[in-house]
């Protein structure tokens, strides 16, 4: 039996309460959803909770989304970062990609199905990054075990092929 995966945690940061509530309702069936009304509140949540994905509004009073995600990138580099904005300012998009390492820049108004699909893809990206790190550690830590595995598989392949 395949064990179901635990839902990943998404932090949604937006200065509009109504947006937070709508985003929570859209995502809560597939994710554990945390919300923050500001970048400062979002950072406080990040410090006490394990967050896999951050979805942040770009234009908020105080700290902008890209600035917040730049900070997230520095402190929690494995967290997948996305911007949700009603503005298509090229400078914001470029800064978001280059400085904050955002994975996606999503535009408002958003469609629930598309947003959910994007967040599911972000979750899969997070899982793949973790698997890649795990495999890299295995490769680094056990080269002799890999040599034995390859030799064993070669022997089996030769036997199946009739090569001695």
């Amino acid at each position: 039996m395949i064990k179901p995966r635990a839902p990943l945690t998404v932090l949604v940061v937006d200065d509009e309460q109504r947006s937070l509530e709508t985003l929570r309702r859209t995502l809560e069936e597939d994710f554990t959803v945390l919300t923050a009304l500001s970048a400062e509140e979002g950072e406080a949540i990040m410090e006490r909770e394990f967050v896999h994905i951050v979805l942040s509004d770009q234009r908020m009073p105080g700290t902008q989304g890209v600035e917040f995600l730049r900070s997230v990138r520095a402190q929690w580099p494995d967290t997948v970062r996305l911007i949700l904005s009603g503005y298509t300012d090229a400078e914001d998009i470029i800064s978001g990609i280059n400085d904050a390492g955002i994975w996606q820049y999503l535009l408002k108004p958003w469609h629930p199905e598309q947003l959910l699909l994007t967040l599911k893809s972000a979750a899969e990206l997070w899982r793949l990054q973790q698997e890649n790190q795990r495999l890299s550690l295995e490769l680094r830590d056990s080269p002799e075990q890999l040599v034995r595995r390859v030799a064993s598989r070669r022997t089996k392949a030769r036997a199946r092929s009739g090569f001695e």
Side-chain angles (χ1 to χ4, degrees), residues 2 4 8 10 21 34 41-42 47 51 59 61 68 85 91 94 97-98 100 110 112 116 120 122 131 150 152 154 162:
I2 297 174
L8 297 187
V10 176
E21 290 167 8
L34 306 173
E41 190 180 325
E47 288 173 356
V51 174
R59 297 202 178 165
F68 168 60
S85 180
E91 223 173 277
I94 292 167
I97 293 168
N98 293 337
W110 46 271
L116 195 53
K120 286 180 179 181
E131 179 71 4
V150 168
S152 170
R154 273 194 187 134

Side-chain angles (χ1 to χ4, degrees), residues 62-129:
T63 305
Q64 298 293 301
V66 170
E67 292 172 45
F68 168 60
L69 292 179
R70 186 180 305 125
S71 171
V72 168
R73 181 185 199 184
Q75 295 179 64
W76 303 279
D78 290 345
T79 303
V80 180
R81 298 164 301 278
L82 299 91
I83 290 278
L84 183 60
S85 180
Y87 303 93
T88 57
D89 184 9
E91 223 173 277
D92 287 344
I93 296 170
I94 292 167
S95 177
I97 293 168
N98 293 337
D99 301 336
I102 64 166
W103 180 65
Q104 291 274 334
Y105 193 100
L106 307 170
L107 295 177
K108 293 179 182 178
W110 46 271
H111 299 286
E113 299 82 20
Q114 187 62 43
L115 182 70
L116 195 53
L117 184 62
T118 300
L119 270 284
K120 286 180 179 181
S121 294
E124 190 58 28
L125 172 66
W126 187 87
R127 287 186 180 105
L128 289 171
Q129 287 173 339

Side-chain angles (χ1 to χ4, degrees), residues 2-46:
I2 297 174
K3 185 175 125 182
R5 291 181 182 177
L8 297 187
T9 300
V10 176
L11 171 61
V12 180
V13 182
D14 196 312
D15 61 315
E16 295 178 25
Q17 184 66 43
R18 198 177 302 170
S19 292
L20 288 178
E21 290 167 8
T22 304
L23 287 160
R24 175 190 295 279
R25 281 194 307 273
T26 301
L27 301 173
E28 68 188 355
E29 193 172 308
D30 296 285
F31 298 94
T32 299
V33 181
L34 306 173
T35 59
L37 284 164
S38 68
E40 294 75 23
E41 190 180 325
E43 194 162 329
I45 290 170
M46 295 281 301

